[in-house]
Amino acid sequence: MAKNVLPTISFAGLTELLGYQIRQAQTASFRDLAGPFRKLGITPGEFSLLTIIDANMDIRQLDLVRIYGLDKSTLSVAVNRLSDRGMIRRRRLPQDRRNQGLSLTDAGQDLLQTATRIVNDQEDRMKMVISPQELDVLMGALRRIAATLRER
Amino acid sequence: MAKNVLPTISFAGLTELLGYQIRQAQTASFRDLAGPFRKLGITPGEFSLLTIIDANMDIRQLDLVRIYGLDKSTLSVAVNRLSDRGMIRRRRLPQDRRNQGLSLTDAGQDLLQTATRIVNDQEDRMKMVISPQELDVLMGALRRIAATLRER
DNA sequence: TATTGTTATACTCTATAACTATA
DNA sequence: TATAGTTATAGAGTATAACAATA
C-alpha cells in the first residue's frame, strides 16, 4: 500500500542560501522561546523592549522607534500593552513635555529577570553546539551582514 | 538648547546575545528583499514556497506543512494566494484523490526566476563582507543551532 | 509650523475549530 | 474512523493617516 513512505523532498538551492539558514535559525530560536515566554505573557520583541528600557532611564519612545526601525504607532501599541499590564511606566519629561520617559515598574523588573534567565538558558544551549572560535566568527559576521544590508 | 544631541542608548547585554544578532541579520535580510519583492508581489516565504514546489513535482500540501512547521490551514491560505494569481496549479492525484499535487504554471516559473535573481544578488552582497572560511563556519553553525533548538 | 505621541483602521501572518471529500 | 484540504474566525504585528498636545 506504500503508506509509510516518506517522500524525499528536494530543497533545490535553498539550503545553500545564507539568508535561508539565518531565517531557519531565527525561527527555531523564536519557537524555542515561545513556550516559556507564553507562560510569562511576553514575546521576544517585548523582552528586548524591557531590556532596553531597563538600561536607559526615561528613554523616549522616539529613540526606541529609531532603534527598532518600527513606526511610532507600532511602538505606541507595544508600549500600551506592557503599560496596561503594569510593567512599564510613562511620565511626561519636564524638559520637554512632548516626550514621555519610559521606565520599568517593580513588576516589570521581576518579569525582565525571569525572561532573562530563559534567554540565557537558550544561549547556553546554542553555545553547546559551536566552539568559542565559531561563536566569535558568528557574532562578527552576523553584525557585518546586518550592517551592509541596512546600508541600502 | 541641546537640540541635536543624539541620546546614547545602552543595549545592555542584548548585542552580546547570539539570538539577538541572528534576529538582527534576519530582519535586515527581509527588509532588504522587501522592496524588490514588493514589485513582484511576493514575500520571502512565498519565494521559498515557489522554489520547493518547482523542485518537487506534484508535491502535496501536507509535505510542505511538515517542512515549514506551519498549520495546514496556513499553508492552504498561502497556496490560495499564489493559485489565485495564476502562479501555482493544483491537481487531484489519481493514486489518492485526497492529495493535491502542486506545480508551477509558466507564469510561476517566470516569477520564480526573477525572484531568484533578487535573492542571489542579496547573497552576493552578504558574501562581500565575509570570507569564504567565515561562510563555511556560518552555514555549519547556523544549521547546528537550528537543529539543536528544534530537538526541544 | 515641527515634533512627539495616540487612535482608528486595515493588511498580513498565523492558529484553532468546524467543515467537506476521500479513503 | 482517519487523512487531506478548505473556510470562518480570531489574535498578533505591522503601517498609514488623521489627530492632540507641546514646542
Side-chain angles (χ1 to χ4, degrees):
Chain A
M1 278 278 149
K3 275 194 69 172
N4 289 325
V5 176
L6 292 177
T8 307
I9 310 294
S10 158
F11 284 74
L14 236 40
T15 56
E16 302 312 313
L17 296 177
L18 195 41
Y20 184 81
Q21 295 300 343
I22 291 172
R23 175 139 103 112
Q24 293 301 306
Q26 201 273 325
T27 62
S29 161
F30 265 37
R31 283 179 188 173
D32 177 72
L33 291 177
F37 268 18
R38 187 161 34 232
K39 285 175 199 139
L40 295 181
I42 63 168
T43 64
E46 287 173 335
F47 163 72
S48 110
L49 201 50
L50 292 173
T51 303
I52 293 183
I53 293 172
D54 185 53
N56 298 275
M57 175 74 166
D58 277 338
I59 190 171
R60 302 172 308 151
Q61 291 188 196
L62 214 57
D63 296 324
L64 292 169
V65 160
R66 288 190 193 111
I67 290 172
Y68 287 110
L70 297 175
D71 190 82
K72 57 191 176 146
S73 67
T74 304
L75 205 94
S76 181
V77 171
V79 169
N80 270 346
R81 208 169 24 226
L82 288 166
S83 173
D84 290 347
R85 292 180 52 210
M87 302 302 166
I88 284 181
R89 206 184 289 113
R90 288 188 240 231
R91 62 178 266 261
R92 294 264 168 205
L93 297 184
Q95 313 92 289
D96 184 335
R97 291 181 40 75
R98 288 173 302 188
N99 295 323
Q100 307 216 42
L102 301 180
S103 55
L104 298 192
T105 61
D106 288 350
Q109 298 217 356
D110 287 350
L111 179 60
L112 175 57
Q113 223 171 56
T114 309
T116 300
R117 274 196 295 272
I118 292 168
V119 168
N120 286 340
D121 168 70
Q122 184 191 76
E123 289 285 312
D124 290 343
R125 279 179 291 130
M126 291 193 288
K127 285 171 189 164
M128 280 180 62
V129 297
I130 59 175
S131 71
Q133 293 78 13
E134 287 177 318
L135 178 62
D136 284 348
V137 170
L138 215 49
M139 295 294 279
L142 289 172
R143 266 190 258 258
R144 294 197 304 278
I145 286 169
T148 196
L149 294 181
R150 284 196 203 104
E151 282 173 8
R152 266 221 60 80
Chain B
M1 277 282 151
K3 275 194 66 175
N4 289 324
V5 176
L6 292 176
T8 308
I9 310 294
S10 159
F11 284 76
L14 235 40
T15 55
E16 302 313 312
L17 295 176
L18 195 41
Y20 183 81
Q21 294 300 344
I22 291 172
R23 176 137 103 110
Q24 294 302 305
Q26 201 274 322
T27 61
S29 160
F30 265 37
R31 283 179 189 173
D32 177 73
L33 292 177
F37 268 18
R38 188 162 32 233
K39 284 173 202 143
L40 295 182
I42 64 169
T43 63
E46 287 174 335
F47 164 73
S48 110
L49 200 51
L50 292 173
T51 303
I52 294 183
I53 291 172
D54 184 53
N56 299 274
M57 175 71 167
D58 277 339
I59 190 171
R60 301 172 307 151
Q61 291 189 195
L62 214 57
D63 296 324
L64 292 168
V65 160
R66 286 190 195 110
I67 290 172
Y68 288 109
L70 297 175
D71 190 82
K72 57 190 175 148
S73 67
T74 304
L75 206 94
S76 181
V77 171
V79 169
N80 270 346
R81 208 170 23 227
L82 288 167
S83 172
D84 290 347
R85 292 181 52 211
M87 303 301 165
I88 284 181
R89 205 182 292 113
R90 289 189 239 230
R91 62 178 265 260
R92 295 263 168 206
L93 297 183
Q95 312 92 290
D96 183 336
R97 291 183 37 78
R98 289 173 301 187
N99 294 325
Q100 307 214 42
L102 302 180
S103 55
L104 297 193
T105 62
D106 288 349
Q109 299 216 356
D110 287 348
L111 180 61
L112 175 57
Q113 223 171 55
T114 309
T116 300
R117 275 196 294 270
I118 293 168
V119 167
N120 287 340
D121 168 70
Q122 184 190 77
E123 288 286 313
D124 290 343
R125 280 179 289 131
M126 291 194 287
K127 285 172 189 163
M128 280 180 62
V129 297
I130 60 175
S131 70
Q133 293 78 15
E134 286 177 318
L135 178 62
D136 284 347
V137 170
L138 215 50
M139 296 294 278
L142 289 173
R143 267 190 257 258
R144 294 197 303 280
I145 286 169
T148 197
L149 293 182
R150 285 197 201 105
E151 282 172 8
R152 264 222 57 80

